[in-house]
mmCIF file with all atom_site columns, all heavy atoms in Angstrom:
data_model
loop_
_atom_site.group_PDB
_atom_site.id
_atom_site.type_symbol
_atom_site.label_atom_id
_atom_site.label_alt_id
_atom_site.label_comp_id
_atom_site.label_asym_id
_atom_site.label_entity_id
_atom_site.label_seq_id
_atom_site.pdbx_PDB_ins_code
_atom_site.Cartn_x
_atom_site.Cartn_y
_atom_site.Cartn_z
_atom_site.occupancy
_atom_site.B_iso_or_equiv
_atom_site.pdbx_formal_charge
_atom_site.auth_seq_id
_atom_site.auth_comp_id
_atom_site.auth_asym_id
_atom_site.auth_atom_id
_atom_site.pdbx_PDB_model_num
ATOM 1   N N   . LYS A 1 1  ? 61.371 120.373 -179.589 1.00 97.00 ? 165 LYS A N   1
ATOM 2   C CA  . LYS A 1 1  ? 61.499 120.831 -178.184 1.00 97.00 ? 165 LYS A CA  1
ATOM 3   C C   . LYS A 1 1  ? 60.446 120.145 -177.375 1.00 97.00 ? 165 LYS A C   1
ATOM 4   O O   . LYS A 1 1  ? 59.310 119.956 -177.795 1.00 97.00 ? 165 LYS A O   1
ATOM 5   C CB  . LYS A 1 1  ? 61.285 122.339 -178.088 1.00 97.00 ? 165 LYS A CB  1
ATOM 6   C CG  . LYS A 1 1  ? 62.398 123.184 -178.683 1.00 97.00 ? 165 LYS A CG  1
ATOM 7   C CD  . LYS A 1 1  ? 62.085 124.653 -178.446 1.00 97.00 ? 165 LYS A CD  1
ATOM 8   C CE  . LYS A 1 1  ? 63.042 125.654 -178.957 1.00 97.00 ? 165 LYS A CE  1
ATOM 9   N NZ  . LYS A 1 1  ? 64.263 125.482 -179.524 1.00 97.00 ? 165 LYS A NZ  1
ATOM 10  N N   . GLY A 1 2  ? 60.851 119.786 -176.158 1.00 97.00 ? 166 GLY A N   1
ATOM 11  C CA  . GLY A 1 2  ? 59.868 119.227 -175.218 1.00 97.00 ? 166 GLY A CA  1
ATOM 12  C C   . GLY A 1 2  ? 60.433 118.158 -174.333 1.00 97.00 ? 166 GLY A C   1
ATOM 13  O O   . GLY A 1 2  ? 61.651 117.909 -174.275 1.00 97.00 ? 166 GLY A O   1
ATOM 14  N N   . ILE A 1 3  ? 59.500 117.492 -173.664 1.00 97.00 ? 167 ILE A N   1
ATOM 15  C CA  . ILE A 1 3  ? 59.833 116.357 -172.785 1.00 97.00 ? 167 ILE A CA  1
ATOM 16  C C   . ILE A 1 3  ? 59.319 115.081 -173.459 1.00 97.00 ? 167 ILE A C   1
ATOM 17  O O   . ILE A 1 3  ? 58.181 115.033 -173.933 1.00 97.00 ? 167 ILE A O   1
ATOM 18  C CB  . ILE A 1 3  ? 59.161 116.527 -171.364 1.00 97.00 ? 167 ILE A CB  1
ATOM 19  C CG1 . ILE A 1 3  ? 59.470 117.858 -170.758 1.00 97.00 ? 167 ILE A CG1 1
ATOM 20  C CG2 . ILE A 1 3  ? 59.553 115.375 -170.472 1.00 97.00 ? 167 ILE A CG2 1
ATOM 21  C CD1 . ILE A 1 3  ? 60.966 118.164 -170.573 1.00 97.00 ? 167 ILE A CD1 1
ATOM 22  N N   . PHE A 1 4  ? 60.199 114.084 -173.500 1.00 97.00 ? 168 PHE A N   1
ATOM 23  C CA  . PHE A 1 4  ? 59.898 112.887 -174.277 1.00 97.00 ? 168 PHE A CA  1
ATOM 24  C C   . PHE A 1 4  ? 60.190 111.603 -173.436 1.00 97.00 ? 168 PHE A C   1
ATOM 25  O O   . PHE A 1 4  ? 61.064 111.633 -172.538 1.00 97.00 ? 168 PHE A O   1
ATOM 26  C CB  . PHE A 1 4  ? 60.802 112.802 -175.532 1.00 97.00 ? 168 PHE A CB  1
ATOM 27  C CG  . PHE A 1 4  ? 60.538 113.867 -176.507 1.00 97.00 ? 168 PHE A CG  1
ATOM 28  C CD1 . PHE A 1 4  ? 61.041 115.137 -176.340 1.00 97.00 ? 168 PHE A CD1 1
ATOM 29  C CD2 . PHE A 1 4  ? 59.741 113.619 -177.644 1.00 97.00 ? 168 PHE A CD2 1
ATOM 30  C CE1 . PHE A 1 4  ? 60.778 116.163 -177.271 1.00 97.00 ? 168 PHE A CE1 1
ATOM 31  C CE2 . PHE A 1 4  ? 59.475 114.614 -178.546 1.00 97.00 ? 168 PHE A CE2 1
ATOM 32  C CZ  . PHE A 1 4  ? 60.003 115.915 -178.370 1.00 97.00 ? 168 PHE A CZ  1
ATOM 33  N N   . LEU A 1 5  ? 59.479 110.548 -173.784 1.00 96.00 ? 169 LEU A N   1
ATOM 34  C CA  . LEU A 1 5  ? 59.818 109.225 -173.251 1.00 96.00 ? 169 LEU A CA  1
ATOM 35  C C   . LEU A 1 5  ? 60.661 108.555 -174.293 1.00 96.00 ? 169 LEU A C   1
ATOM 36  O O   . LEU A 1 5  ? 60.307 108.526 -175.473 1.00 96.00 ? 169 LEU A O   1
ATOM 37  C CB  . LEU A 1 5  ? 58.536 108.406 -173.036 1.00 96.00 ? 169 LEU A CB  1
ATOM 38  C CG  . LEU A 1 5  ? 58.782 106.946 -172.711 1.00 96.00 ? 169 LEU A CG  1
ATOM 39  C CD1 . LEU A 1 5  ? 59.412 106.786 -171.301 1.00 96.00 ? 169 LEU A CD1 1
ATOM 40  C CD2 . LEU A 1 5  ? 57.519 106.118 -172.822 1.00 96.00 ? 169 LEU A CD2 1
ATOM 41  N N   . TRP A 1 6  ? 61.832 108.054 -173.851 1.00 97.00 ? 170 TRP A N   1
ATOM 42  C CA  . TRP A 1 6  ? 62.681 107.255 -174.742 1.00 97.00 ? 170 TRP A CA  1
ATOM 43  C C   . TRP A 1 6  ? 62.626 105.818 -174.295 1.00 97.00 ? 170 TRP A C   1
ATOM 44  O O   . TRP A 1 6  ? 63.221 105.439 -173.296 1.00 97.00 ? 170 TRP A O   1
ATOM 45  C CB  . TRP A 1 6  ? 64.122 107.840 -174.641 1.00 97.00 ? 170 TRP A CB  1
ATOM 46  C CG  . TRP A 1 6  ? 65.130 107.102 -175.480 1.00 97.00 ? 170 TRP A CG  1
ATOM 47  C CD1 . TRP A 1 6  ? 64.957 106.510 -176.689 1.00 97.00 ? 170 TRP A CD1 1
ATOM 48  C CD2 . TRP A 1 6  ? 66.522 106.946 -175.185 1.00 97.00 ? 170 TRP A CD2 1
ATOM 49  N NE1 . TRP A 1 6  ? 66.137 105.965 -177.136 1.00 97.00 ? 170 TRP A NE1 1
ATOM 50  C CE2 . TRP A 1 6  ? 67.121 106.220 -176.240 1.00 97.00 ? 170 TRP A CE2 1
ATOM 51  C CE3 . TRP A 1 6  ? 67.328 107.353 -174.106 1.00 97.00 ? 170 TRP A CE3 1
ATOM 52  C CZ2 . TRP A 1 6  ? 68.490 105.895 -176.263 1.00 97.00 ? 170 TRP A CZ2 1
ATOM 53  C CZ3 . TRP A 1 6  ? 68.695 106.999 -174.144 1.00 97.00 ? 170 TRP A CZ3 1
ATOM 54  C CH2 . TRP A 1 6  ? 69.218 106.303 -175.240 1.00 97.00 ? 170 TRP A CH2 1
ATOM 55  N N   . ASP A 1 7  ? 61.934 104.996 -175.070 1.00 95.00 ? 171 ASP A N   1
ATOM 56  C CA  . ASP A 1 7  ? 61.773 103.607 -174.782 1.00 95.00 ? 171 ASP A CA  1
ATOM 57  C C   . ASP A 1 7  ? 62.947 102.846 -175.403 1.00 95.00 ? 171 ASP A C   1
ATOM 58  O O   . ASP A 1 7  ? 62.813 102.051 -176.303 1.00 95.00 ? 171 ASP A O   1
ATOM 59  C CB  . ASP A 1 7  ? 60.421 103.116 -175.322 1.00 95.00 ? 171 ASP A CB  1
ATOM 60  C CG  . ASP A 1 7  ? 60.132 101.639 -175.053 1.00 95.00 ? 171 ASP A CG  1
ATOM 61  O OD1 . ASP A 1 7  ? 60.826 101.086 -174.118 1.00 95.00 ? 171 ASP A OD1 1
ATOM 62  O OD2 . ASP A 1 7  ? 59.310 101.063 -175.716 1.00 95.00 ? 171 ASP A OD2 1
ATOM 63  N N   . HIS A 1 8  ? 64.132 103.134 -174.875 1.00 92.00 ? 172 HIS A N   1
ATOM 64  C CA  . HIS A 1 8  ? 65.355 102.558 -175.438 1.00 92.00 ? 172 HIS A CA  1
ATOM 65  C C   . HIS A 1 8  ? 65.509 101.049 -175.257 1.00 92.00 ? 172 HIS A C   1
ATOM 66  O O   . HIS A 1 8  ? 66.221 100.384 -175.963 1.00 92.00 ? 172 HIS A O   1
ATOM 67  C CB  . HIS A 1 8  ? 66.594 103.272 -174.824 1.00 92.00 ? 172 HIS A CB  1
ATOM 68  C CG  . HIS A 1 8  ? 66.736 103.088 -173.386 1.00 92.00 ? 172 HIS A CG  1
ATOM 69  N ND1 . HIS A 1 8  ? 65.834 103.570 -172.471 1.00 92.00 ? 172 HIS A ND1 1
ATOM 70  C CD2 . HIS A 1 8  ? 67.686 102.414 -172.650 1.00 92.00 ? 172 HIS A CD2 1
ATOM 71  C CE1 . HIS A 1 8  ? 66.210 103.219 -171.212 1.00 92.00 ? 172 HIS A CE1 1
ATOM 72  N NE2 . HIS A 1 8  ? 67.340 102.534 -171.327 1.00 92.00 ? 172 HIS A NE2 1
ATOM 73  N N   . CYS A 1 9  ? 64.741 100.465 -174.347 1.00 90.00 ? 173 CYS A N   1
ATOM 74  C CA  . CYS A 1 9  ? 64.772 99.034  -174.122 1.00 90.00 ? 173 CYS A CA  1
ATOM 75  C C   . CYS A 1 9  ? 63.615 98.340  -174.866 1.00 90.00 ? 173 CYS A C   1
ATOM 76  O O   . CYS A 1 9  ? 63.482 97.116  -174.759 1.00 90.00 ? 173 CYS A O   1
ATOM 77  C CB  . CYS A 1 9  ? 64.662 98.733  -172.620 1.00 90.00 ? 173 CYS A CB  1
ATOM 78  S SG  . CYS A 1 9  ? 66.047 99.298  -171.686 1.00 90.00 ? 173 CYS A SG  1
ATOM 79  N N   . LEU A 1 10 ? 62.831 99.124  -175.605 1.00 93.00 ? 174 LEU A N   1
ATOM 80  C CA  . LEU A 1 10 ? 61.693 98.623  -176.394 1.00 93.00 ? 174 LEU A CA  1
ATOM 81  C C   . LEU A 1 10 ? 60.709 97.844  -175.533 1.00 93.00 ? 174 LEU A C   1
ATOM 82  O O   . LEU A 1 10 ? 60.239 96.741  -175.889 1.00 93.00 ? 174 LEU A O   1
ATOM 83  C CB  . LEU A 1 10 ? 62.197 97.754  -177.568 1.00 93.00 ? 174 LEU A CB  1
ATOM 84  C CG  . LEU A 1 10 ? 63.249 98.423  -178.482 1.00 93.00 ? 174 LEU A CG  1
ATOM 85  C CD1 . LEU A 1 10 ? 63.729 97.474  -179.552 1.00 93.00 ? 174 LEU A CD1 1
ATOM 86  C CD2 . LEU A 1 10 ? 62.756 99.743  -179.030 1.00 93.00 ? 174 LEU A CD2 1
ATOM 87  N N   . ALA A 1 11 ? 60.335 98.435  -174.405 1.00 92.00 ? 175 ALA A N   1
ATOM 88  C CA  . ALA A 1 11 ? 59.396 97.826  -173.485 1.00 92.00 ? 175 ALA A CA  1
ATOM 89  C C   . ALA A 1 11 ? 57.962 97.906  -173.973 1.00 92.00 ? 175 ALA A C   1
ATOM 90  O O   . ALA A 1 11 ? 57.154 97.007  -173.660 1.00 92.00 ? 175 ALA A O   1
ATOM 91  C CB  . ALA A 1 11 ? 59.520 98.441  -172.092 1.00 92.00 ? 175 ALA A CB  1
ATOM 92  N N   . LEU A 1 12 ? 57.656 98.928  -174.737 1.00 92.00 ? 176 LEU A N   1
ATOM 93  C CA  . LEU A 1 12 ? 56.282 99.090  -175.275 1.00 92.00 ? 176 LEU A CA  1
ATOM 94  C C   . LEU A 1 12 ? 56.152 98.312  -176.547 1.00 92.00 ? 176 LEU A C   1
ATOM 95  O O   . LEU A 1 12 ? 57.061 98.237  -177.363 1.00 92.00 ? 176 LEU A O   1
ATOM 96  C CB  . LEU A 1 12 ? 56.016 100.596 -175.553 1.00 92.00 ? 176 LEU A CB  1
ATOM 97  C CG  . LEU A 1 12 ? 56.032 101.507 -174.368 1.00 92.00 ? 176 LEU A CG  1
ATOM 98  C CD1 . LEU A 1 12 ? 55.948 102.971 -174.798 1.00 92.00 ? 176 LEU A CD1 1
ATOM 99  C CD2 . LEU A 1 12 ? 54.931 101.150 -173.387 1.00 92.00 ? 176 LEU A CD2 1
ATOM 100 N N   . GLU A 1 13 ? 54.996 97.676  -176.701 1.00 91.00 ? 177 GLU A N   1
ATOM 101 C CA  . GLU A 1 13 ? 54.751 96.803  -177.844 1.00 91.00 ? 177 GLU A CA  1
ATOM 102 C C   . GLU A 1 13 ? 54.946 97.557  -179.160 1.00 91.00 ? 177 GLU A C   1
ATOM 103 O O   . GLU A 1 13 ? 55.436 96.992  -180.154 1.00 91.00 ? 177 GLU A O   1
ATOM 104 C CB  . GLU A 1 13 ? 53.307 96.269  -177.765 1.00 91.00 ? 177 GLU A CB  1
ATOM 105 C CG  . GLU A 1 13 ? 52.958 95.244  -178.818 1.00 91.00 ? 177 GLU A CG  1
ATOM 106 C CD  . GLU A 1 13 ? 51.568 94.695  -178.595 1.00 91.00 ? 177 GLU A CD  1
ATOM 107 O OE1 . GLU A 1 13 ? 51.207 94.397  -177.443 1.00 91.00 ? 177 GLU A OE1 1
ATOM 108 O OE2 . GLU A 1 13 ? 50.854 94.596  -179.591 1.00 91.00 ? 177 GLU A OE2 1
ATOM 109 N N   . GLN A 1 14 ? 54.586 98.825  -179.216 1.00 91.00 ? 178 GLN A N   1
ATOM 110 C CA  . GLN A 1 14 ? 54.673 99.602  -180.438 1.00 91.00 ? 178 GLN A CA  1
ATOM 111 C C   . GLN A 1 14 ? 56.070 100.056 -180.784 1.00 91.00 ? 178 GLN A C   1
ATOM 112 O O   . GLN A 1 14 ? 56.349 100.521 -181.891 1.00 91.00 ? 178 GLN A O   1
ATOM 113 C CB  . GLN A 1 14 ? 53.746 100.836 -180.345 1.00 91.00 ? 178 GLN A CB  1
ATOM 114 C CG  . GLN A 1 14 ? 52.325 100.578 -180.182 1.00 91.00 ? 178 GLN A CG  1
ATOM 115 C CD  . GLN A 1 14 ? 51.913 100.339 -178.687 1.00 91.00 ? 178 GLN A CD  1
ATOM 116 O OE1 . GLN A 1 14 ? 52.743 100.025 -177.839 1.00 91.00 ? 178 GLN A OE1 1
ATOM 117 N NE2 . GLN A 1 14 ? 50.638 100.391 -178.452 1.00 91.00 ? 178 GLN A NE2 1
ATOM 118 N N   . SER A 1 15 ? 56.989 100.033 -179.824 1.00 92.00 ? 179 SER A N   1
ATOM 119 C CA  . SER A 1 15 ? 58.341 100.583 -180.042 1.00 92.00 ? 179 SER A CA  1
ATOM 120 C C   . SER A 1 15 ? 59.158 99.690  -180.974 1.00 92.00 ? 179 SER A C   1
ATOM 121 O O   . SER A 1 15 ? 59.075 98.465  -180.881 1.00 92.00 ? 179 SER A O   1
ATOM 122 C CB  . SER A 1 15 ? 59.072 100.761 -178.709 1.00 92.00 ? 179 SER A CB  1
ATOM 123 O OG  . SER A 1 15 ? 58.491 101.759 -177.949 1.00 92.00 ? 179 SER A OG  1
ATOM 124 N N   . THR A 1 16 ? 59.949 100.327 -181.781 1.00 91.00 ? 180 THR A N   1
ATOM 125 C CA  . THR A 1 16 ? 60.948 99.646  -182.643 1.00 91.00 ? 180 THR A CA  1
ATOM 126 C C   . THR A 1 16 ? 62.288 100.373 -182.476 1.00 91.00 ? 180 THR A C   1
ATOM 127 O O   . THR A 1 16 ? 62.304 101.466 -181.896 1.00 91.00 ? 180 THR A O   1
ATOM 128 C CB  . THR A 1 16 ? 60.548 99.667  -184.114 1.00 91.00 ? 180 THR A CB  1
ATOM 129 O OG1 . THR A 1 16 ? 60.542 101.049 -184.572 1.00 91.00 ? 180 THR A OG1 1
ATOM 130 C CG2 . THR A 1 16 ? 59.175 99.088  -184.318 1.00 91.00 ? 180 THR A CG2 1
ATOM 131 N N   . GLU A 1 17 ? 63.329 99.839  -183.017 1.00 91.00 ? 181 GLU A N   1
ATOM 132 C CA  . GLU A 1 17 ? 64.641 100.503 -182.987 1.00 91.00 ? 181 GLU A CA  1
ATOM 133 C C   . GLU A 1 17 ? 64.535 101.898 -183.573 1.00 91.00 ? 181 GLU A C   1
ATOM 134 O O   . GLU A 1 17 ? 65.195 102.841 -183.136 1.00 91.00 ? 181 GLU A O   1
ATOM 135 C CB  . GLU A 1 17 ? 65.687 99.679  -183.715 1.00 91.00 ? 181 GLU A CB  1
ATOM 136 C CG  . GLU A 1 17 ? 66.125 98.412  -183.028 1.00 91.00 ? 181 GLU A CG  1
ATOM 137 C CD  . GLU A 1 17 ? 66.982 98.660  -181.792 1.00 91.00 ? 181 GLU A CD  1
ATOM 138 O OE1 . GLU A 1 17 ? 67.703 99.676  -181.758 1.00 91.00 ? 181 GLU A OE1 1
ATOM 139 O OE2 . GLU A 1 17 ? 66.932 97.819  -180.894 1.00 91.00 ? 181 GLU A OE2 1
ATOM 140 N N   . GLU A 1 18 ? 63.743 102.025 -184.630 1.00 91.00 ? 182 GLU A N   1
ATOM 141 C CA  . GLU A 1 18 ? 63.599 103.333 -185.338 1.00 91.00 ? 182 GLU A CA  1
ATOM 142 C C   . GLU A 1 18 ? 62.592 104.273 -184.692 1.00 91.00 ? 182 GLU A C   1
ATOM 143 O O   . GLU A 1 18 ? 62.717 105.472 -184.790 1.00 91.00 ? 182 GLU A O   1
ATOM 144 C CB  . GLU A 1 18 ? 63.185 103.107 -186.803 1.00 91.00 ? 182 GLU A CB  1
ATOM 145 C CG  . GLU A 1 18 ? 64.180 102.360 -187.645 1.00 91.00 ? 182 GLU A CG  1
ATOM 146 C CD  . GLU A 1 18 ? 64.200 100.835 -187.420 1.00 91.00 ? 182 GLU A CD  1
ATOM 147 O OE1 . GLU A 1 18 ? 63.110 100.291 -187.027 1.00 91.00 ? 182 GLU A OE1 1
ATOM 148 O OE2 . GLU A 1 18 ? 65.264 100.232 -187.542 1.00 91.00 ? 182 GLU A OE2 1
ATOM 149 N N   . GLU A 1 19 ? 61.587 103.732 -184.036 1.00 93.00 ? 183 GLU A N   1
ATOM 150 C CA  . GLU A 1 19 ? 60.495 104.543 -183.430 1.00 93.00 ? 183 GLU A CA  1
ATOM 151 C C   . GLU A 1 19 ? 60.298 104.178 -181.976 1.00 93.00 ? 183 GLU A C   1
ATOM 152 O O   . GLU A 1 19 ? 59.527 103.301 -181.614 1.00 93.00 ? 183 GLU A O   1
ATOM 153 C CB  . GLU A 1 19 ? 59.177 104.273 -184.188 1.00 93.00 ? 183 GLU A CB  1
ATOM 154 C CG  . GLU A 1 19 ? 59.157 104.777 -185.612 1.00 93.00 ? 183 GLU A CG  1
ATOM 155 C CD  . GLU A 1 19 ? 59.112 106.291 -185.741 1.00 93.00 ? 183 GLU A CD  1
ATOM 156 O OE1 . GLU A 1 19 ? 58.516 106.928 -184.863 1.00 93.00 ? 183 GLU A OE1 1
ATOM 157 O OE2 . GLU A 1 19 ? 59.715 106.810 -186.709 1.00 93.00 ? 183 GLU A OE2 1
ATOM 158 N N   . CYS A 1 20 ? 61.061 104.901 -181.119 1.00 93.00 ? 184 CYS A N   1
ATOM 159 C CA  . CYS A 1 20 ? 60.933 104.606 -179.676 1.00 93.00 ? 184 CYS A CA  1
ATOM 160 C C   . CYS A 1 20 ? 60.985 105.900 -178.846 1.00 93.00 ? 184 CYS A C   1
ATOM 161 O O   . CYS A 1 20 ? 61.257 105.886 -177.668 1.00 93.00 ? 184 CYS A O   1
ATOM 162 C CB  . CYS A 1 20 ? 62.004 103.631 -179.238 1.00 93.00 ? 184 CYS A CB  1
ATOM 163 S SG  . CYS A 1 20 ? 63.716 104.175 -179.583 1.00 93.00 ? 184 CYS A SG  1
ATOM 164 N N   . LEU A 1 21 ? 60.659 107.008 -179.502 1.00 95.00 ? 185 LEU A N   1
ATOM 165 C CA  . LEU A 1 21 ? 60.661 108.336 -178.819 1.00 95.00 ? 185 LEU A CA  1
ATOM 166 C C   . LEU A 1 21 ? 59.253 108.887 -178.893 1.00 95.00 ? 185 LEU A C   1
ATOM 167 O O   . LEU A 1 21 ? 58.666 108.951 -179.964 1.00 95.00 ? 185 LEU A O   1
ATOM 168 C CB  . LEU A 1 21 ? 61.645 109.263 -179.517 1.00 95.00 ? 185 LEU A CB  1
ATOM 169 C CG  . LEU A 1 21 ? 61.952 110.590 -178.821 1.00 95.00 ? 185 LEU A CG  1
ATOM 170 C CD1 . LEU A 1 21 ? 62.682 110.338 -177.529 1.00 95.00 ? 185 LEU A CD1 1
ATOM 171 C CD2 . LEU A 1 21 ? 62.750 111.471 -179.751 1.00 95.00 ? 185 LEU A CD2 1
ATOM 172 N N   . TYR A 1 22 ? 58.690 109.231 -177.730 1.00 95.00 ? 186 TYR A N   1
ATOM 173 C CA  . TYR A 1 22 ? 57.284 109.679 -177.620 1.00 95.00 ? 186 TYR A CA  1
ATOM 174 C C   . TYR A 1 22 ? 57.209 110.995 -176.876 1.00 95.00 ? 186 TYR A C   1
ATOM 175 O O   . TYR A 1 22 ? 57.715 111.116 -175.731 1.00 95.00 ? 186 TYR A O   1
ATOM 176 C CB  . TYR A 1 22 ? 56.447 108.629 -176.915 1.00 95.00 ? 186 TYR A CB  1
ATOM 177 C CG  . TYR A 1 22 ? 56.556 107.255 -177.562 1.00 95.00 ? 186 TYR A CG  1
ATOM 178 C CD1 . TYR A 1 22 ? 57.454 106.348 -177.070 1.00 95.00 ? 186 TYR A CD1 1
ATOM 179 C CD2 . TYR A 1 22 ? 55.754 106.929 -178.626 1.00 95.00 ? 186 TYR A CD2 1
ATOM 180 C CE1 . TYR A 1 22 ? 57.549 105.058 -177.625 1.00 95.00 ? 186 TYR A CE1 1
ATOM 181 C CE2 . TYR A 1 22 ? 55.835 105.661 -179.219 1.00 95.00 ? 186 TYR A CE2 1
ATOM 182 C CZ  . TYR A 1 22 ? 56.748 104.745 -178.714 1.00 95.00 ? 186 TYR A CZ  1
ATOM 183 O OH  . TYR A 1 22 ? 56.855 103.492 -179.299 1.00 95.00 ? 186 TYR A OH  1
ATOM 184 N N   . LYS A 1 23 ? 56.580 111.972 -177.493 1.00 95.00 ? 187 LYS A N   1
ATOM 185 C CA  . LYS A 1 23 ? 56.441 113.257 -176.819 1.00 95.00 ? 187 LYS A CA  1
ATOM 186 C C   . LYS A 1 23 ? 55.451 113.230 -175.689 1.00 95.00 ? 187 LYS A C   1
ATOM 187 O O   . LYS A 1 23 ? 54.359 112.697 -175.840 1.00 95.00 ? 187 LYS A O   1
ATOM 188 C CB  . LYS A 1 23 ? 56.055 114.367 -177.830 1.00 95.00 ? 187 LYS A CB  1
ATOM 189 C CG  . LYS A 1 23 ? 56.142 115.737 -177.233 1.00 95.00 ? 187 LYS A CG  1
ATOM 190 C CD  . LYS A 1 23 ? 56.099 116.854 -178.275 1.00 95.00 ? 187 LYS A CD  1
ATOM 191 C CE  . LYS A 1 23 ? 56.450 118.164 -177.686 1.00 95.00 ? 187 LYS A CE  1
ATOM 192 N NZ  . LYS A 1 23 ? 56.483 119.181 -178.713 1.00 95.00 ? 187 LYS A NZ  1
ATOM 193 N N   . ILE A 1 24 ? 55.853 113.763 -174.559 1.00 96.00 ? 188 ILE A N   1
ATOM 194 C CA  . ILE A 1 24 ? 54.983 113.844 -173.378 1.00 96.00 ? 188 ILE A CA  1
ATOM 195 C C   . ILE A 1 24 ? 54.387 115.208 -173.211 1.00 96.00 ? 188 ILE A C   1
ATOM 196 O O   . ILE A 1 24 ? 53.229 115.375 -172.970 1.00 96.00 ? 188 ILE A O   1
ATOM 197 C CB  . ILE A 1 24 ? 55.776 113.467 -172.118 1.00 96.00 ? 188 ILE A CB  1
ATOM 198 C CG1 . ILE A 1 24 ? 56.397 112.106 -172.197 1.00 96.00 ? 188 ILE A CG1 1
ATOM 199 C CG2 . ILE A 1 24 ? 54.848 113.524 -170.896 1.00 96.00 ? 188 ILE A CG2 1
ATOM 200 C CD1 . ILE A 1 24 ? 57.428 111.791 -171.142 1.00 96.00 ? 188 ILE A CD1 1
ATOM 201 N N   . ALA A 1 25 ? 55.222 116.250 -173.313 1.00 96.00 ? 189 ALA A N   1
ATOM 202 C CA  . ALA A 1 25 ? 54.794 117.618 -173.076 1.00 96.00 ? 189 ALA A CA  1
ATOM 203 C C   . ALA A 1 25 ? 55.701 118.591 -173.822 1.00 96.00 ? 189 ALA A C   1
ATOM 204 O O   . ALA A 1 25 ? 56.834 118.260 -174.202 1.00 96.00 ? 189 ALA A O   1
ATOM 205 C CB  . ALA A 1 25 ? 54.820 117.966 -171.588 1.00 96.00 ? 189 ALA A CB  1
ATOM 206 N N   . ASP A 1 26 ? 55.221 119.804 -174.049 1.00 96.00 ? 190 ASP A N   1
ATOM 207 C CA  . ASP A 1 26 ? 55.951 120.846 -174.796 1.00 96.00 ? 190 ASP A CA  1
ATOM 208 C C   . ASP A 1 26 ? 57.071 121.447 -173.971 1.00 96.00 ? 190 ASP A C   1
ATOM 209 O O   . ASP A 1 26 ? 58.006 121.962 -174.511 1.00 96.00 ? 190 ASP A O   1
ATOM 210 C CB  . ASP A 1 26 ? 55.001 121.961 -175.245 1.00 96.00 ? 190 ASP A CB  1
ATOM 211 C CG  . ASP A 1 26 ? 54.036 121.529 -176.331 1.00 96.00 ? 190 ASP A CG  1
ATOM 212 O OD1 . ASP A 1 26 ? 54.417 120.611 -177.081 1.00 96.00 ? 190 ASP A OD1 1
ATOM 213 O OD2 . ASP A 1 26 ? 52.972 122.110 -176.429 1.00 96.00 ? 190 ASP A OD2 1
ATOM 214 N N   . ASN A 1 27 ? 56.956 121.395 -172.634 1.00 97.00 ? 191 ASN A N   1
ATOM 215 C CA  . ASN A 1 27 ? 58.017 121.958 -171.775 1.00 97.00 ? 191 ASN A CA  1
ATOM 216 C C   . ASN A 1 27 ? 57.976 121.274 -170.432 1.00 97.00 ? 191 ASN A C   1
ATOM 217 O O   . ASN A 1 27 ? 57.093 120.468 -170.122 1.00 97.00 ? 191 ASN A O   1
ATOM 218 C CB  . ASN A 1 27 ? 57.823 123.480 -171.624 1.00 97.00 ? 191 ASN A CB  1
ATOM 219 C CG  . ASN A 1 27 ? 56.465 123.868 -171.111 1.00 97.00 ? 191 ASN A CG  1
ATOM 220 O OD1 . ASN A 1 27 ? 56.080 123.411 -170.019 1.00 97.00 ? 191 ASN A OD1 1
ATOM 221 N ND2 . ASN A 1 27 ? 55.722 124.654 -171.850 1.00 97.00 ? 191 ASN A ND2 1
#
């Protein structure tokens, strides 16, 4: 549950096809 950044275009250097979802906040 929460608010997430989905780097679906892989703009961040750390993002990969498998790991591109980052939690921002719990609600």
Side-chain angles (χ1 to χ4, degrees):
K165 291 182 179 354
I167 307 300
F168 294 80
L169 172 69
W170 179 32
D171 182 18
H172 64 295
C173 295
L174 307 179
L176 297 172
E177 186 177 316
Q178 298 85 342
S179 292
T180 65
E181 289 286 332
E182 296 78 28
E183 294 288 327
C184 57
L185 190 66
Y186 305 96
K187 190 165 190 176
I188 303 168
D190 290 333
N191 57 57

